[in-house]
Amino acid sequence: LKHFQSDKIKFTVTMAIQRVVSGGNYDDQQAKAYAAVKEVDFRSRVELYSTMQFIGDVRGKRVLDVACGSGWLTRNLRNAGAAYVKGTDMSTPMIEIAQLEEKKYHGNGPLIDYEVEDIRNAAGTAKEELFDVVTSNWLLVNAKTKQDLREMCEGLASKAKSGGKLVTIVMHPDLFSYPDNHKLNKTMKPYGATFGLPPKQEDGSVAESSAMKIQAYSPQGDLAMEIENYCYSKDTFTEELERAGFECVEIKDKMLLSPEKDDAEDWEGFFSVPLMMAIVAQKK
C-alpha cells in the first residue's frame, strides 16, 4: 500500500483507485484522495481563479456551493467576503472532511454550514433563504443520463433567488472527442491528469452521456484516483438550464490563469487542450 501525505490529509492510494468514482459517489478513501489532488497547481491557478473571476464580488451575499466536496471552493467563497456560505454534497465522506476543516477555522468570517444533500432531490427552500450566488463546479458532468442532468439543473434553479447568479465549471465537450488520446495524455500528465476517452462515432463525435475516465494525480505525480465524467454538448447544457429557470446562459470557453507568477509559457500545453469551460447564468 502506498500512502500520500499532504499538508491536510492522508490517504491510501491503492484503496482510493481500486474503484472508479461514478456519479459523484465517493467512499472515504476517494474523498480524501479528491481533497488531496486539489493541491495540484491548475486547481488554484486556473480552476479557482477563473471561478472567482466569473462570480465577481460576493461581499455581503448569500452563497451556496453545490457539490462542494471537501469545501475547497466553499472556504474561498467565505474568504472573499460572503455574508453567509453553505456547502452541500451527496457524499457523506466529503462533507465530513469539509466539517473537520471548518473546525480549524478561527478567522473573522462566518462559519460555513455543510449538509449532505443530493441536489436532484433537494428540499424546498423558503424565499427568504434563497441564494444570491450558486456555484456547482463539476456537478453537471456527473449526470449519467439526461434525466439526471435535468434534475440537477432544476435543483440548482430551486436554490437561486430571482436575479441570482449561477457559475459552474464542467469538462469541455470537445475534450471527449479529442482526436489523439496518447497525445492528450502526454500533454496533460505534467499538469496532473490523464484521460481514457470514450469511443467515437463515425463522424468523430461522441454520443451524449458517454463516459470518460479521468486519472487524477497527486502533486508528487502519483496516481491518486480515477473518476468518470459524462459528455453533454454546449447546447444541451444551455437548454436544460433554461428549461429549469435560468436565462442569459453564457458559455466561457477561455479559462484564466492567475497572474501571481510570470510563467505563462509553462502553461501553453495546458491551454492548448480544451479541458474545461465555465457556464454562467442568471435565475429568472
Side-chain angles (χ1 to χ4, degrees), residues 7-53:
D7 291 338
K8 296 181 178 179
I9 202 159
K10 180 179 180 179
F11 68 94
T12 304
V13 171
T14 52
M15 292 179 67
I17 63 174
Q18 64 185 0
R19 182 179 66 85
V20 177
V21 177
S22 178
N25 293 301
Y26 290 79
D27 63 26
D28 180 66
Q29 290 296 318
Q30 291 166 334
K32 291 176 181 177
Y34 188 82
V37 299
K38 284 291 189 180
E39 296 179 26
V40 173
D41 278 352
F42 87 81
R43 297 294 190 170
S44 58
R45 296 291 308 280
V46 179
E47 179 186 337
L48 177 62
Y49 181 73
S50 298
T51 300
M52 299 303 290
Q53 291 296 306

Side-chain angles (χ1 to χ4, degrees), residues 67-81:
C68 68
S70 59
W72 177 73
L73 172 59
T74 329
R75 292 186 290 275
N76 280 281
L77 292 165
R78 185 253 309 284
N79 295 344

Side-chain angles (χ1 to χ4, degrees), residues 110-130:
L111 293 177
I112 299 170
D113 287 332
Y114 287 105
E115 181 180 343
V116 177
E117 181 178 64
D118 185 339
I119 195 64
R120 294 172 297 180
N121 305 303
T125 303
K127 186 176 181 180
E128 64 273 14
E129 295 179 352
L130 294 173

Side-chain angles (χ1 to χ4, degrees), residues 186-213:
K186 185 177 180 180
T187 300
M188 289 304 302
K189 189 172 182 183
Y191 300 102
T194 54
F195 306 87
L197 298 178
K200 296 179 178 63
Q201 303 180 105
E202 289 185 5
D203 63 357
S205 66
V206 171
E208 291 219 323
S209 74
S210 293
M212 170 175 64
K213 287 185 170 60

Side-chain angles (χ1 to χ4, degrees), residues 24 29 37 41 64 82 95 114 121 124 139-140 143 145 149 168 170 172 186 226 229 248 250 256:
Q29 290 296 318
V37 299
D41 278 352
L64 173 66
I95 292 296
Y114 287 105
N121 305 303
L139 169 71
L140 301 182
T145 67
L149 180 63
T168 185
V170 297
H172 199 294
K186 185 177 180 180
E226 189 170 37
N229 277 185
C248 304
E250 182 181 0
L256 310 173

